[in-house]
Amino acid sequence: SLEKALHDIRLHDNSLLIWIDAICIDQRNISERNNQVKMMKRIYERALLVHIWIDVEVEIPAPVLKMLETINLGTPLELEADPKFWDPVVHLFGQRYWSRVWIHQEV
């Protein structure tokens, strides 16, 4: 939920300017949404930092998450063969978020 996301990213000792598409774009107004989508590239290019909140519970000590945290792009990676190992990531990447029109501009 947006409430959980805001709670997670808040700064305790400083102000934070944020742009939230779920609030800033009337998703039911097709004309407004189309106009806003056209501006997304510029919005994300100007962002100092982009947080993506996907409201999915993933067990933090999941071995796959620990492995992903240690990826070094310059080092060959040995992938786990057990399909169950990948279940938390499969669930995460199966969320509707990844099918959004402007996802390639955000990430």
Side-chain angles (χ1 to χ4, degrees):
S1 73
L2 180 55
E3 180 183 2
K4 285 196 279 184
L6 291 172
H7 185 268
D8 188 55
I9 66 172
R10 78 182 189 280
L11 302 176
H12 295 282
D13 58 351
N14 218 337
S15 62
L16 179 66
L17 176 64
I18 57 176
W19 182 87
I20 301 169
D21 62 10
I23 293 175
C24 297
I25 301 174
D26 180 358
Q27 300 294 327
R28 292 173 292 193
N29 183 326
I30 303 300
S31 175
E32 177 183 339
R33 189 174 67 199
N34 289 342
N35 286 331
Q36 292 289 327
V37 167
K38 290 175 188 173
M39 296 188 307
M40 298 300 277
K41 184 176 188 322
R42 188 172 46 141
I43 290 169
Y44 285 108
E45 283 177 345
R46 293 180 179 182
L48 298 176
L49 180 66
V50 175
H51 285 268
I52 300 168
W53 181 268
I54 303 171
D55 197 11
V56 173
E57 293 289 330
V58 176
E59 186 181 329
I60 297 302
V64 67
L65 296 180
K66 289 184 180 191
M67 188 260 322
L68 291 174
E69 286 178 342
T70 63
I71 288 178
N72 180 341
L73 296 178
T75 305
L77 180 65
E78 290 195 29
L79 299 177
E80 176 64 45
D82 179 11
K84 290 284 183 201
F85 177 84
W86 297 99
D87 281 351
V89 176
V90 170
H91 179 64
L92 177 67
F93 286 110
Q95 299 302 306
R96 192 181 76 186
Y97 169 81
W98 303 106
S99 66
R100 292 166 35 149
V101 173
W102 55 85
I103 184 64
H104 68 279
Q105 295 173 23
E106 291 177 0
V107 179

